[in-house]
Amino acid sequence: MSRNAIIAIIVAVLVLGAAGGAFAFDAVSSNEPTAEETTPAQTATPSPSAMQPEPPEETLDDGQDEGQDEDPLADREAMEELGMEVAEIMTTWDPNEDFNRTAAEMRAADLMTEELADSITAPERPATGAEWLDAAAAGATSQPTVKPNRATSNEVVSIEATWVWVSENGDVVSNPTERRLFFFNFEQGDDGELAVSDYSYDTVD
């Protein structure tokens, strides 16, 4: 074999070897994971609404009840209405039927708490005084007029009561100048009804 033939064979072997190495390198590279495959799996990004925490459930603070959101003016009106009703009963007297003025207070017991109603006791002595005796002689009863007295606190309602004495035929036989200022406290019972829990009054000329 000539020298040139030997050189040609060696060149051919080298070329084929280089080509095979490149092929093997490509084959190995093709089996390696891609950049996307080597990146850790990403979870879907939640929407802004999903990322916002849910609002906490509304709870009542200690000492707070469900009735605190009610309109205080409505409560005030209810107390004044009840106070006027009680004051009117307490200043409606019939001297020929009532032993004394306390009898009228006892007639208002249904609008009071049980404890307050039980605490009312009538004096043993009958009512006296010119006004009472003259009304009895005329067969007259008192007809009161009541109205709220605004100069009070949020816990106390004051009611002003005045009255005239009217005979059976409707004649006014006496028009006293005195008036009573009542002061009422209230409680709401288990049944939800408002009741007078305490009261006092001053007689003013």
Side-chain angles (χ1 to χ4, degrees), residues 79 82-83 86 111-113 116 153-158 182-188 194-200:
M79 290 190 294
L82 180 56
V86 174
L111 301 175
M112 304 176 185
T113 61
L116 178 60
S153 68
N154 292 332
E155 294 77 21
V156 180
V157 165
S158 178
F182 288 90
F183 302 92
F184 294 106
N185 294 82
F186 302 88
E187 287 183 7
Q188 198 158 15
L194 199 64
V196 175
S197 60
D198 195 13
Y199 72 92
S200 63

Side-chain angles (χ1 to χ4, degrees), residues 76 79-91 93 143-152 156-164 176-184 200-205:
R76 181 74 179 183
M79 290 190 294
E80 288 181 349
E81 288 178 3
L82 180 56
M84 287 190 292
E85 182 178 358
V86 174
E88 183 174 355
I89 294 173
M90 287 183 172
T91 51
W93 304 293
Q143 290 188 3
T145 299
V146 297
K147 63 180 181 179
N149 183 349
R150 301 288 180 178
T152 55
V156 180
V157 165
S158 178
I159 304 298
E160 179 182 330
T162 58
W163 57 88
V164 295
T177 57
E178 69 178 11
R179 57 195 174 98
R180 278 190 178 184
L181 294 179
F182 288 90
F183 302 92
F184 294 106
S200 63
Y201 60 82
D202 293 326
T203 301
V204 182
D205 291 331

